[in-house]
Amino acid sequence: MKHHELDARRLLCPLPVIRAQNRVMELEPGDTLEVICTDPGALYDIPAWCRMYGHKVLDIRQTQDEVRITLRVGAPPDRP
Amino acid sequence: MTKTRKAVALISGGLDSMLAARLIKDQGIHVEGINFFTGFCVEGHTHAIRRGHHDKPKRNNALWSAEQIGIKLHIVDVIDEYKDIVINPKHGYGAHLNPCLDCKGFMVRKAREWMEQNDFDFIITGEVIGQRPMSQRRDTMPVVARESGAFDRLLRPLCAKLLPETLPEREGWVERDKLLDFSGRNRKPQIALAASFGFSEYAQPAGGCCFLTDENYTLRLNDLWSNRGDKRYELDDILLLKIGRHLRPRPNFKLIVGREEGENNFLNGYRRDFTHLFCVSHAGPLALVDGIANDADLDFAARLLARFGQGRSADKVTVEIHPHGGAARTIEVAPLHPDEIPESWYL
């Protein structure tokens, strides 16, 4: 299990989610990814996207200028 | 065992696509949503940036509506591919720079490609006959089906009963009787259907979900193109058109002036890429200079910027100017009087 960082500063919704989505596809279940954003929309969007795909949000930290969201990658989704 | 059929739903974040996806999911179809990010999506960008917009939820409505329906959503970056649609639309523009028919054909084509790559069976959209003047007309709907290559694998559940049968209906994957016959611009049927599904909150953008339908935005985009001498853009260009006041006091440059703290923070992220200036003697906004400005231009820009800060009534204010790639300098200037700023400078 590895820890990774994704710099999504300056990107506006939904680009932080798109970048996170694309990065997670390259990672293994159990890996963690810290996404660093400046768009406060990420506070809703990334956790919503994680709920949808079975990834777990481990930590959310917000400062004046940045949002840092750490997630743990879940198992690949099931499809019929 | 009966095979579970799979549909990919175009989810814009508005009510209609949400209803269409829910209708088909209720028929036992496995539905997943897809949303294409063109760079021109309204989707709360300015609300996300501007601190004052507390009434608007800071979220992506496509993600939110997919979660309400209980489906997965795939958000796909199509910024580069979409440029050709904006710059050279085969079917032309609508009232502004909105290439609605080309855009719909493009999105359904991308959804069709995704459907084929992921072994899905058909595509659904929230289109309603007569709701939009270009892309949602009885005569243009077949154009979208044909030019996208989706043909009869494109199902519009909200108005399907008014259209010829599609493959999912003929094959019995969905029951035509349970599809709808909405038409026109009246929103009451959609609102009633939303209530029956228990959807109490949903986005209803008055001017559509695309900045290209916005008169002021397209004025800025046309200004950008005419000053560059050709129709091209990068993502940062079209994002910056959404932010701040844009003033062109001279043909060779324009100023982008933050209107409040959130916009100033956002523009601050572009300081390294632009000549920029701000007032240091009084509180006020940050301004980016887009174009090529000489020292005299920048001195004048400082006077113009001062008009939008708290020193606007002072005799003199101090402005720090940071030329792109050059040494910063500080000057004292008199803020411009409102009478010295013609309306024609505002974009």
Side-chain angles (χ1 to χ4, degrees):
Chain A
M1 284 177 287
K2 290 181 183 165
H3 180 75
H4 308 265
E5 263 191 21
L6 173 64
D7 185 353
R9 294 179 183 97
R10 265 176 54 170
L11 299 178
L12 290 178
C13 150
L15 284 169
V17 179
I18 294 174
R19 298 283 193 272
Q21 177 184 265
N22 296 347
R23 188 67 186 277
V24 162
M25 284 167 68
E26 300 166 354
L27 305 183
E28 297 293 328
D31 283 359
T32 55
L33 177 67
E34 183 175 7
V35 190
I36 308 159
C37 312
T38 43
D39 180 353
L43 279 171
Y44 172 83
D45 294 341
I46 291 179
W49 176 79
C50 286
R51 286 193 294 274
M52 232 172 240
Y53 284 88
H55 309 304
K56 186 172 173 56
V57 175
L58 300 175
D59 187 43
I60 298 178
R61 272 177 290 156
Q62 186 175 17
T63 61
Q64 173 74 11
D65 302 322
E66 282 184 3
V67 174
R68 286 172 177 258
I69 301 171
T70 305
L71 60 94
R72 177 180 293 128
V73 179
D78 293 330
R79 250 182 208 159
Chain B
M1 198 172 117
T2 312
K3 182 182 175 188
T4 300
R5 293 293 169 178
K6 293 178 282 190
V8 56
L10 267 78
I11 300 289
S12 65
L15 177 59
D16 293 1
S17 59
M18 192 176 172
L19 294 173
R22 171 66 190 265
L23 272 175
I24 296 305
K25 184 172 179 253
D26 284 358
Q27 290 210 30
I29 304 292
H30 174 85
V31 179
E32 295 188 18
I34 197 162
N35 174 268
F36 296 108
F37 179 64
T38 64
F40 294 102
C41 313
V42 172
E43 261 316 303
H45 277 175
T46 46
H47 309 312
I49 294 163
R50 296 189 74 182
R51 295 259 155 117
H53 285 209
H54 295 302
D55 55 325
K56 304 284 184 186
K58 292 176 173 49
R59 68 180 185 211
N60 178 282
N61 280 318
L63 262 177
W64 182 84
S65 55
E67 203 176 15
Q68 302 312 299
I69 312 162
I71 62 171
K72 288 190 167 66
L73 182 74
H74 308 272
I75 308 181
V76 183
D77 172 350
V78 293
I79 295 163
D80 285 334
E81 279 182 272
Y82 195 71
K83 287 177 183 172
D84 192 46
I85 302 297
V86 179
I87 293 168
N88 301 303
K90 177 180 168 186
H91 297 287
Y93 297 112
H96 302 295
L97 285 174
N98 45 314
C100 292
L101 187 51
D102 292 79
C103 175
K104 183 60 81 174
F106 170 82
M107 291 197 177
V108 175
R109 175 167 64 80
K110 297 300 295 177
R112 194 257 303 159
E113 291 168 2
W114 190 94
M115 172 188 80
E116 291 168 355
Q117 286 159 9
N118 291 277
D119 195 26
F120 273 50
D121 299 295
F122 61 102
I123 302 160
I124 53 181
T125 70
E127 291 168 285
V128 168
I129 292 176
Q131 187 158 109
R132 300 262 185 226
M134 272 184 99
S135 59
Q136 297 190 39
R137 294 196 324 238
R138 189 181 288 276
D139 60 324
T140 56
M141 283 184 164
V143 174
V144 170
R146 188 176 62 244
E147 293 189 354
S148 64
F151 298 103
D152 62 354
R153 286 183 186 263
L154 173 58
L155 175 65
R156 287 119 166 171
L158 299 185
C159 61
K161 282 182 171 169
L162 302 174
L163 297 169
E165 267 192 327
T166 58
L167 183 72
E169 295 161 274
R170 281 202 308 279
E171 293 293 323
W173 303 339
V174 298
E175 288 183 50
R176 186 171 171 90
D177 286 350
K178 292 182 179 172
L179 303 176
L180 301 173
D181 58 357
F182 293 174
S183 71
R185 300 178 72 92
N186 181 6
R187 305 287 298 158
K188 284 182 183 167
Q190 283 93 323
I191 291 166
L193 184 61
S196 76
F197 285 147
F199 298 154
S200 55
E201 191 189 342
Y202 38 84
Q204 296 224 68
C209 56
C210 175
F211 269 108
L212 294 170
T213 62
D214 182 279
E215 186 177 3
N216 289 333
Y217 185 87
T218 54
L219 179 74
R220 291 177 177 187
L221 182 56
N222 268 324
D223 170 79
L224 179 92
W225 283 344
S226 62
N227 279 281
R228 285 194 176 163
D230 63 2
K231 287 167 81 172
R232 63 184 163 84
Y233 63 84
E234 298 302 328
L235 178 62
D236 283 336
D237 294 324
I238 60 175
L239 291 183
L240 284 170
L241 294 182
K242 301 174 184 177
I243 305 301
R245 290 184 183 88
H246 288 231
L247 296 106
R248 184 173 291 285
R250 303 281 185 266
N252 51 310
F253 76 94
K254 74 170 178 179
L255 276 192
I256 306 172
V257 184
R259 287 173 291 195
E260 45 85 271
E261 187 189 357
E263 288 192 342
N264 285 326
N265 287 342
F266 183 76
L267 294 176
N268 208 26
Y270 286 88
R271 276 183 315 168
R272 288 182 197 157
D273 306 324
F274 286 85
T275 293
H276 59 277
L277 50 155
F278 49 88
C279 183
V280 290
S281 58
H282 298 76
L286 174 74
L288 305 181
V289 178
D290 186 17
I292 299 167
N294 61 28
D295 283 350
D297 290 331
L298 292 177
D299 291 356
F300 187 73
R303 294 190 64 205
L304 178 54
L305 168 71
R307 181 63 221 155
F308 299 103
Q310 288 186 6
R312 64 177 70 88
S313 305
D315 293 336
K316 295 272 182 189
V317 302
T318 310
V319 174
E320 213 168 278
I321 299 174
H322 294 252
H324 185 223
R329 63 187 173 95
T330 301
I331 58 167
E332 277 204 342
V333 292
L336 283 183
H337 189 270
D339 295 344
E340 297 175 285
I341 306 174
E343 269 301 307
S344 60
W345 288 1
Y346 285 90
L347 302 172

